[in-house]
């Protein structure tokens, strides 16, 4: 028997203001689109701003549905838009902000497992890392310099 140890290293910024200026700009766009999310059921709004290699920025937010499972997270809304409209352009970074209408969210909100799996597909397709930044409404911002840090032991097309 052997053990496999998996180590993940993330960077934590104390606040939005500590981020590099270009990332601040993306976070502002994530916040802008977050506040337009359609989330009448959870009252939990999420926005994602994706920077593409060609400088284009793609925005997405969560879209809920009366049939709850038919809704979609912000990250996948944005990443699938990027995949649909810029299929040959690599994703450089995804910047995420979440806000609850019920409390002030100060905990950085990571992408859910399904979104991690979806983003992993693009990281593997483009063969270069995608940097992820995520925050709540206020407070600390977490940076992961690759999606792989957030989803070790990923199932990808090498298993097919
Ligand atoms: N949500 C996202 O948009 N992204 C995530 O990574 C986590 C959850 C959305 C889905 C749902 O509309 C609401 O947040 C509450 O789960």
């Amino acid at each position: 028997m052997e053990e496999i140890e998996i180590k993940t290293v993330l960077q934590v910024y104390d606040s939005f203001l500590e981020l590099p200026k270009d990332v601040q700009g993306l976070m502002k766009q994530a916040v802008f689109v977050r506040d337009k999310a359609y989330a009448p059921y959870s009252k939990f709004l999420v926005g994602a701003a994706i920077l593409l290699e060609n400088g284009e920025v793609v925005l997405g937010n969560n879209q809920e549905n009366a049939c709850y499972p038919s809704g979609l997270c912000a990250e996948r809304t944005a990443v699938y838009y990027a995949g649909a409209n810029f299929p040959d352009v690599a994703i450089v970074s995804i910047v995420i902000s979440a806000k609850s209408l019920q409390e002030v969210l100060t905990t950085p909100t990571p992408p859910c497992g399904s979104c991690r799996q979806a983003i992993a597909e693009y990281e593997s397709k483009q063969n270069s890392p995608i940097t992820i930044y995520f925050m709540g409404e206020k407070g600390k911002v977490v940076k992961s310099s690759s999606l792989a840090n957030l989803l070790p032991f990923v199932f990808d097309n090498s298993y097919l």
Side-chain angles (χ1 to χ4, degrees):
M1 196 272 274
E2 59 170 307
E3 280 185 342
I4 300 173
E5 191 179 324
I6 296 171
K7 187 176 166 191
T8 280
V9 178
L10 303 171
Q11 287 75 44
V12 182
Y13 294 85
D14 249 353
S15 80
F16 167 87
L17 293 171
E18 224 185 73
L19 293 169
K21 281 279 177 283
D22 57 326
V23 183
Q24 285 189 12
L26 288 164
M27 189 61 87
K28 280 185 186 162
Q29 294 185 79
V31 166
F32 169 79
V33 73
R34 176 199 75 195
D35 291 342
K36 297 201 289 190
Y38 179 60
Y41 306 108
S42 71
K43 305 197 187 318
F44 191 85
L45 316 180
V46 186
I50 296 185
L51 174 66
L52 301 177
E53 210 177 20
N54 65 0
E56 197 85 43
V57 176
V58 167
L59 304 179
N61 53 28
N62 50 329
Q63 295 294 317
E64 297 188 348
N65 194 283
C67 176
Y68 294 177
S70 299
L72 196 64
C73 291
E75 296 87 333
R76 273 175 290 162
T77 304
V79 94
Y80 290 151
Y81 183 94
N85 291 284
F86 302 96
D88 301 321
V89 186
I91 296 172
V92 177
S93 57
I94 305 182
V95 178
I96 303 159
S97 171
K99 170 185 176 163
S100 166
L101 296 179
Q102 280 144 343
E103 57 173 325
V104 178
L105 213 64
T106 53
T107 316
T109 310
C112 78
S114 298
C115 288
R116 293 181 204 194
Q117 182 69 35
I119 298 165
E121 182 71 24
Y122 294 91
E123 197 166 81
S124 126
K125 178 186 168 210
Q126 70 187 40
N127 198 25
S128 65
I130 297 174
T131 308
I132 320 273
Y133 293 88
F134 53 91
M135 71 177 294
E137 183 182 350
K138 288 185 165 42
K140 295 185 192 298
V141 184
V142 176
K143 173 187 177 187
S144 172
S145 46
S146 159
L147 186 278
N149 291 334
L150 298 176
L151 190 59
F153 240 87
V154 64
F155 177 83
D156 61 18
N157 62 15
S158 67
Y159 294 96
L160 296 175

